[in-house]
């Protein structure tokens, strides 16, 4: 279902169509090239010695037995690697933020189970793992801060320099701003919501091959990454090398979702160690390491309040947010958390808002970026709206209709400190998704089922999110377009595709920008030696940013082709039109056929060297607003607590889609991750700080049997950016958890059950039902 | 996640395998489908100096049915068990339990004997074997062939009555005939996960719809697979349609010990789920028996093979 609400964009051949992904052939036949496929002469293998304690002093490390094992090359400790750090900071934040500690290896004290203590280098991974068992670390265990909710009162410090374990906090409008509204409210909804820790869990774990050439002072890195240029910049700073002496390569990356958006501590170790060993060094993280040490996300709680007038109109909203950042977060977590407060009002007409956020250390895996890092704003708001509606005796859909912003009302101010919402369609996607469900029919079905002792539920979730930021670092994307002597095109961009089809996307864009067939365009990505700078897959930016870069490079290329054609066509360049694969005199009417005096193909113009043009696009708008409504229906078995999802509908607006298949793939992937977060995934620790879900036996990802068919409804409101395209990468993961939880809560509403803790596991639901007397 | 060094043996016959087991003793472990053992080795939760791979032994394959029993070679893969129409006809519980074992990739390698010898309390085949009073055939170089009743086989968490030098070579299941009904009910977080609880029920009705015999096996509710003798005794002689499933569930849960409690649920939660599964399985099996023509299992249930 597609509804286009705006003036049509110029006709294009490929943009907007379901072009098959060029990546699929190799990926679906098992011929992708991932970092573990890289083989180098004499390559060595790394494996980390990791802490078995959540918090302990390191008294001594004895590597002699490990070093004596045949095939072991080296065992590095903090004393070997940490002093080599030249500079350590991420480009997106710069060196001046009050960043949290991030040593390569643990020094003196371990701070979570999985904390890297030493790095073993051996001939192969088997020997390396044998040697890891032989490294004797004398630990002196200490009581840990296992739960961030105890961090401010436990008296134990994760890092001595942070009193009360507070890494920092930010605040928007203070509570006083909303107090009068709350005082006069006819109804107040007030709950504290808790969201469990879960993580991106990419299909491909982290990994890196680093090869140092001492003779030439050159470093080559093959990485599983979302952003090769940042790996290069970071690596160069870390090692004190000129960026030009660092080359980063990647082809396929099997998912990142934020976990691979910047290098982490282990990556630092491998880069540092590579200069101390005589051959390339490979580190491939195994699944247990990934679940134990790659980091966690989502772990947070928030006291959320909404004040309503008697008719359900929202008067004010406020949230006090606290998040777990673990021991070593990546990158700086404090600033990112502001988005929770800024976006808490969501796509509703909220006159006043207040917010604050606090980041607390704990002795657990560090917080890292995860697809829609601020999604707690939607969890808290959308769950609270359903609870409020039930308390007021209103249908949750009706309560939202009374408050949601429609396209006609834009731009609309955000009271929390964001620029005004614009170019989006919250109420429209809401109605679209409800229409796809046939909401009234479902309510009738639900009533009939209840009469028969079955418990069905429906939940919705509507959000609006800033995408394709104009923030300096992420605003920037370069592209090079090259015409080969035979007229074939190549588009060269940074890349960093981790499943999000940047190859297909830029080929579509290039084919349209120059009027050439899709099959006549190749792309080169993921090699910093030959690609222009781009900031990679992050912040739902790649579609918009590459459209900008390709668009500007195509304009430059068309200008060059016009210059080249000018003498041969006998008219000045400005009288030449470059389109549809040809240069011709403007208005000559020549539409097809052979090259002639009035029309030249790109091959005619390319010459033996070809023609090339490049451009760097910089986003001008501070953000492009994407929005969506998720609607989920489910059945709950009130004896076992099992939740079965029945239908899942997403009505969304990411502007004109470059490729609906890719957009829907992005929505599906995020939605599945959100379903996992709502029902299954839980990176749980015991009271001593031991991770209890470090294999796939205990860390439960949703699979095809748990996820229903996802139905999509598209609206396309263009944004003030290239092609009108908006970001699509993160929304699924934001919208899904509240829709699922609201559906479960709706199913259980006859029992008076209120869900404020995630995940809604069967045992947790049974506990709520038991508490409610069922 | 690489296993520590081990020596790999691939004997050519059951006799050779038994000889190796006798020679290597505790330092050796039998490798069949490897679906439990290999992950434990890779996670270095288990270490063995020698692995004796029996997965290619023809002597552990094959299936024979006589009137009273079905004998399966221990090396038969779970996928083969689940796909065999003869198995589905003779011992419907085996066929119906099979799709609940992990995922099809796991069933392609995992074996009947491997599952039973591993004796995970949440596994399906051990519960079926126990419920049906199967006979486990062991073989050793020293004692030759030995038959162990299922009731004596499962001795504790992941432990069995097999001697260190014994290899499980076959399993003999009684074939139930008459007006029978069978059901498997299991609850897991996701399809293919270890069950939080599971129940297998077999029952036979006599001519006036009274329960002639009943077998209830349970998994995930103790340190071994379990029977529910109180519930079985309460059912026998009663009219199937008049039995209170919830009461049978309560009886089945009464007196349970060592109920697991883990991330997926407390002991109380498992009892709640287990009782409900007993009721549901009993209802399904009763309905099937009541609709049975008394000759054998229905065509529909025979067709419930691994898909």
């Amino acid at each position: 279902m597609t509804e286009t609400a705006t003036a049509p964009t110029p006709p294009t051949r490929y943009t907007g169509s379901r072009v098959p992904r060029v990546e699929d052939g190799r990926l679906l036949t098992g011929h992708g090239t991932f970092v573990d496929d890289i083989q180098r002469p004499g390559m060595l293998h790394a494996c980390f010695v990791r802490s078995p304690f959540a918090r302990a002093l390191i008294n001594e490390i004895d590597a002699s037995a490990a070093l004596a094992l045949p095939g072991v090359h080296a065992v590095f400790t903090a004393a070997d690697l940490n002093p080599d750090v030249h500079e350590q900071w991420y480009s997106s934040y710069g060196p001046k933020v009050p960043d949290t500690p991030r040593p390569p290896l643990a020094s003196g004290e371990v701070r979570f189970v999985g904390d890297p203590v030493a790095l073993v280098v051996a001939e192969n991974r088997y020997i390396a793992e044998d040697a890891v068992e032989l490294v004797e670390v004398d630990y002196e265990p200490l009581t840990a801060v296992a739960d961030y909710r105890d961090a401010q009162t436990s008296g134990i410090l994760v890092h001595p320099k942070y009193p009360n374990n507070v890494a920092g906090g930010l605040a928007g409008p203070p509570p006083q701003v909303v107090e009068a509204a709350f005082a006069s409210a006819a109804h107040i909804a007030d709950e504290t919501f808790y969201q469990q820790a879960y993580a991106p869990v990419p299909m491909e774990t982290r990994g890196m091959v680093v090869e140092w050439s001492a003779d030439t002072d050159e470093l080559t890195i093959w990485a599983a990454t979302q952003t090769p240029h940042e790996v290069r910049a970071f690596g160069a700073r870390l090692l004190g090398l000129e960026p030009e002496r660092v080359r980063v390569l990647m082809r396929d990356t099997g998912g990142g979702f934020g976990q691979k958006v910047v290098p982490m501590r282990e990556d630092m170790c491998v880069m540092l160690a590579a200069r101390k060993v005589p051959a390339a060094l490979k580190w491939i993280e195994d699944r247990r390491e990934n679940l134990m040490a790659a980091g966690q996300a989502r772990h947070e709680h928030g006291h959320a309040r909404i004040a309503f007038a008697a008719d359900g109109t929202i008067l004010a909203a406020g949230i006090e947010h606290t998040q777990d950042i673990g021991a070593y977060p990546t990158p700086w977590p404090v600033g990112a958390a502001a988005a929770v407060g800024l976006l808490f009002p969501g796509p509703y007409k909220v006159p006043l808002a207040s917010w604050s956020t606090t980041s607390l250390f704990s002795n657990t895996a560090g917080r890292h970026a995860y697809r829609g890092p601020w999604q707690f704003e939607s969890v808290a708001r959308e769950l609270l709206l359903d609870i409020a509606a039930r308390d007021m005796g209103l249908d949750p859909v009706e309560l939202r209709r009374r408050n949601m912003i429609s396209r006609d009302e834009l731009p609309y101010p955000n009271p929390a400190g964001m620029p005004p919402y614009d170019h989006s369609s919250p109420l429209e996607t809401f109605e679209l998704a409800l229409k796809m469900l046939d909401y009234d029919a479902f309510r009738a079905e639900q009533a009939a089922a209840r009469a028969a002792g079955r418990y069905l539920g429906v939940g919705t979730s509507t959000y609006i999110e800033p995408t394709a930021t104009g923030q300096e670092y992420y605003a920037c994307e370069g592209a090079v377009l090259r015409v080969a002597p035979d007229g074939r095109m190549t588009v060269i961009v940074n890349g960093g595709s981790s499943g999000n089809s940047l190859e297909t996307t830029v080929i579509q864009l290039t084919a349209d920008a120059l009027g050439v067939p899709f099959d006549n365009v190749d792309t080169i990505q993921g090699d910093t030696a030959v690609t222009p700078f781009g900031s990679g897959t992050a912040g739902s930016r790649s579609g918009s940013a590459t459209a900008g870069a390709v668009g500007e490079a195509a304009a430059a290329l068309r200008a060059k082709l016009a210059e080249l054609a000018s003498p041969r066509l006998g008219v000045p360049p400005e009288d030449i039109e470059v389109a549809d694969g040809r240069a011709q005199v403007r208005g000559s009417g020549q539409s097809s056929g052979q090259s002639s005096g009035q029309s030249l193909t790109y091959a005619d113009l390319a010459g033996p060297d070809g023609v090339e043009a490049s451009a760097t696009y910089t986003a001008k708008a501070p953000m492009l607003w994407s929005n969506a409504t998720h609607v989920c229906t489910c059945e709950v078995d009130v004896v076992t607590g099992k939740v079965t999802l029945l239908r899942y509908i997403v009505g969304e607006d990411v502007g004109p889609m470059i490729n609906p298949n890719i957009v829907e793939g992005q929505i599906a992937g995020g939605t599945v991750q959100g379903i996992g977060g709502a029902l299954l995934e839980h990176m749980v620790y015991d009271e001593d700080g031991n991770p209890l879900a470090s294999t796939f036996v205990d860390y439960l990802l949703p699979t095809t049997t748990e996820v229903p068919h996802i139905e999509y409804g598209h609206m396309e409101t263009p944004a003030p950016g290239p092609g009108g395209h908006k970001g699509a990468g993160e929304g699924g993961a934001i919208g899904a958890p509240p829709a699922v939880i609201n559906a479960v809560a709706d199913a259980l509403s006859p029992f008076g059950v209120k869900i404020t803790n995630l995940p809604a596991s069967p045992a947790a639901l049974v506990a709520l039902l038991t508490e409610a007397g069922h | 996640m690489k296993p520590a060094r081990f020596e790999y043996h691939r004997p050519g016959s059951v006799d050779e395998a038994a000889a190796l087991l006798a020679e290597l003793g505790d330092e050796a472990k039998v490798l069949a489908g490897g679906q439990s053992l290999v992950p434990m080795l890779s996670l270095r939760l288990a270490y063995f100096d020698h692995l004796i791979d029996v997965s290619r032994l023809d002597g552990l394959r094959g299936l024979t049915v006589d009137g009273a029993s079905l004998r399966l070679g221990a090396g038969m893969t779970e996928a083969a068990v689940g796909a065999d129409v003869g198995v589905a006809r003779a011992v419907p519980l085996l066929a119906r339990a099979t799709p609940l074992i992990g995922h099809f990739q796991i069933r392609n390698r995992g074996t009947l004997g491997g599952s039973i010898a591993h004796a995970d309390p949440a596994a399906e085949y051990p519960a079926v074997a126990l419920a049906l009073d199967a006979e486990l055939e062991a073989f050793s170089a020293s004692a030759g062939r030995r038959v162990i009743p299922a009731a004596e086989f499962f001795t504790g968490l992941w432990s069995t009555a097999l001697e260190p030098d014994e290899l499980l070579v076959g399993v003999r299941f009684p074939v139930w005939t008459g007006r029978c009904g069978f059901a498997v009910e299991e609850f897991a977080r996701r399809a293919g996960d270890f069950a939080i609880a599971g129940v297998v029920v077999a029952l036979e009705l006599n001519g006036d719809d009274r329960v002639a015999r009943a077998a209830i096996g349970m998994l995930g509710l103790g340190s071994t697979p379990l029977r529910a003798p109180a519930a079985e005794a309460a059912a026998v002689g009663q009219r199937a349609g008049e039995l209170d499933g919830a009461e049978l569930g309560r009886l089945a849960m009464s007196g349970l010990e060592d109920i697991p409690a883990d991330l997926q649920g407390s002991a109380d939660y498992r009892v709640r789920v287990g009782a409900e599964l007993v009721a549901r399985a009993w209802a399904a099996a009763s309905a099937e028996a009541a609709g049975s023509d008394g000759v054998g299992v229905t065509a529909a249930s025979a067709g419930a093979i691994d898909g």
Side-chain angles (χ1 to χ4, degrees), chain B residues 20-284:
Chain B
L20 273 169
L21 268 177
E23 178 195 333
L24 300 168
D26 285 349
E27 293 178 355
K29 187 74 178 172
V30 174
L31 172 67
Q35 298 304 291
S36 298
L37 178 59
V38 170
M40 289 170 88
L41 293 172
S42 295
L43 289 162
R44 299 193 180 215
L45 297 172
Y47 296 82
F48 291 99
D49 292 335
H50 301 272
L51 294 187
I52 301 170
D53 183 355
V54 300
S55 64
R56 303 183 201 200
L57 292 182
D58 287 337
L60 296 181
R61 298 222 178 84
L63 170 163
T64 50
V65 198
D66 56 36
S69 68
L70 167 76
R71 185 195 181 279
L72 301 175
M76 218 172 150
T77 64
E78 292 152 352
V81 172
D84 193 287
V85 177
V87 170
R89 202 170 285 139
V91 186
L93 282 180
L94 275 179
R96 297 184 202 177
T98 300
L100 302 172
I101 303 171
H103 306 276
F104 69 82
Q105 294 93 336
I106 288 170
R107 299 192 290 271
N108 280 341
R109 283 189 176 271
T111 65
L112 172 75
S115 173
I116 289 175
H118 181 54
D120 191 292
E124 288 79 6
Y125 285 160
V128 172
L130 184 68
L132 295 180
D133 288 319
E135 293 176 341
L136 294 312
E137 293 176 19
F139 181 79
S140 67
S142 60
R145 197 163 290 260
R146 177 168 81 106
V147 173
I148 309 168
E152 295 166 18
F153 187 80
F154 302 103
T155 55
L157 183 68
W158 299 319
S159 64
T160 69
L162 287 173
E163 296 296 332
D165 65 343
E166 276 184 321
L167 179 67
L168 183 64
V169 294
V171 188
R172 188 176 293 275
F173 292 90
V175 173
W176 286 33
T177 53
R179 295 183 66 209
C180 294
F182 305 93
V184 180
E185 288 283 338
E186 186 176 293
F187 180 63
R189 295 288 300 275
R190 304 171 302 177
D193 279 346
F194 284 106
I196 287 174
V199 173
V200 305
V201 168
L203 64 88
E204 183 187 349
L205 299 180
N206 62 19
D208 63 351
D209 283 345
R210 289 183 189 275
V211 177
R213 55 174 168 163
I216 300 175
M218 303 186 290
L219 54 110
L221 290 165
S223 53
T224 64
L226 298 167
R227 286 287 284 269
E232 292 172 8
V236 172
Q238 306 295 311
R239 284 189 193 278
E242 293 168 4
L243 277 165
D244 178 1
E247 176 60 17
L248 286 183
R250 274 193 294 278
L251 285 171
M253 297 302 116
S254 63
L256 291 186
E257 292 170 0
D258 301 329
I259 303 168
D262 60 18
L263 288 180
Q264 314 311 344
S266 64
D268 285 349
Y269 173 70
R270 283 185 152 77
V271 165
R272 175 187 173 112
V273 172
E276 175 72 8
L277 296 180
V278 168
R280 290 179 187 178
W282 183 267

Side-chain angles (χ1 to χ4, degrees), chain A residues 125-126 129-130 133 286-288 637-640 642 679-680 684 692 696 698 700-701 705-706 761-763 766 770 774, chain B residues 1-5 42-45 47 103 187-191 193-194 196 263-266 269 272-273 276-277 280:
Chain A
R125 175 82 185 199
Y126 289 87
E129 291 196 21
D130 290 344
E133 294 192 320
D286 70 29
R287 184 58 65 186
R288 182 166 48 176
D637 180 331
V638 297
V639 178
T640 64
K642 186 179 180 68
L679 299 177
L680 292 162
V684 62
L692 301 179
F696 282 156
D698 296 308
L700 307 182
L701 291 169
T705 52
E706 285 73 53
S761 69
V766 164
T770 308
H774 180 70
Chain B
M1 281 201 207
K2 304 292 184 199
R5 180 175 292 272
S42 295
L43 289 162
R44 299 193 180 215
L45 297 172
Y47 296 82
H103 306 276
F187 180 63
R189 295 288 300 275
R190 304 171 302 177
D193 279 346
F194 284 106
I196 287 174
L263 288 180
Q264 314 311 344
S266 64
Y269 173 70
R272 175 187 173 112
V273 172
E276 175 72 8
L277 296 180
R280 290 179 187 178

